[in-house]
Every structure is written in C-alpha cells, then in structure tokens.
Amino acid sequence: MIDLYNRYLLGIEKYDEAAVEICKIIDDENYHSRDGTTKHQLWMKLLNIVVKHAQQITSINIEHVLRNGIKTFTEESGRWWCALAEYYNRQNNNECARD
C-alpha cells in the first residue's frame, strides 16, 4: 500500500511528500514491503529523488540524508559521494561539490 501511495506522489510530482514518506519507511524497523522492496531499494529511490528534485524538497535535510547513506552503505560510498557532489552542483554550490 505504501509503495502505491509513493508511486502516486511521484506521479503527481509531489517529491517532497514522497521523500518524507520514504524516510518514514526507512526509519520503521518493523516495515516489510508487500512487493518485496528492500530497505536498500528504498534508500536508492530516496537517493534519486533528493538529488534530482532537490529544489522541491524542503521537509528533510538532504545533506543529512546523503551523509547517512554514505555511512550506511560503505561498499557503495562512491555512489553516495557523487550524489552529494551532484546535489551541491544543482544548488550552484560548486565549492562544496568539489570538496
């Protein structure tokens, strides 16, 4: 049910609400997807949303989410560091993106 609601939010371009809902799911230790979606897949979906639609997301701290992803997925830290740099680029903060 949550997956359908999230797809609906993304379909109507409510990226902020979709990101908040995914964060809630990720934080819920007892959540089990009916569709078989893993927490990793949810993190990847969140990564794509917050980087590509950063201007529309105001309810969560995107930098905090990306840095948590770096800590959580150490084997994929390169992907997360690149996403953080892309986020800064989209914010026209090239100095932070370079760092």
Side-chain angles (χ1 to χ4, degrees):
M1 188 60 131
I2 299 291
D3 294 334
L4 288 174
Y5 179 60
N6 209 283
R7 281 188 227 142
Y8 169 73
L9 290 173
L10 293 172
I12 61 171
E13 299 180 359
K14 297 285 186 178
Y15 302 112
D16 187 52
E17 292 177 45
V20 169
E21 290 300 316
I22 293 173
C23 286
K24 287 179 187 176
I25 294 169
I26 288 172
D27 289 340
D28 183 1
E29 295 294 324
N30 298 318
Y31 176 76
H32 296 288
S33 172
R34 290 182 184 174
D35 298 339
T37 305
T38 65
K39 294 273 184 153
H40 182 266
Q41 290 170 319
L42 292 169
W43 271 98
M44 292 299 110
K45 184 183 283 190
L46 181 62
L47 171 72
N48 289 328
I49 293 169
V50 298
V51 170
K52 291 181 181 175
H53 306 286
Q55 299 294 336
Q56 293 102 332
I57 296 176
T58 58
S59 298
I60 61 173
N61 183 335
I62 295 173
E63 182 178 357
H64 181 72
V65 167
L66 294 173
R67 290 190 182 275
N68 277 341
I70 291 167
K71 290 177 191 173
T72 304
F73 301 104
T74 56
E75 70 282 353
E76 296 180 352
S77 63
R79 173 187 283 181
W80 287 87
W81 280 113
C82 289
L84 184 60
E86 184 178 346
Y87 163 71
Y88 283 130
N89 274 334
R90 289 176 186 255
Q91 299 298 318
N92 292 323
N93 191 342
N94 296 325
E95 197 168 301
C96 283
R98 183 199 65 219
D99 291 343

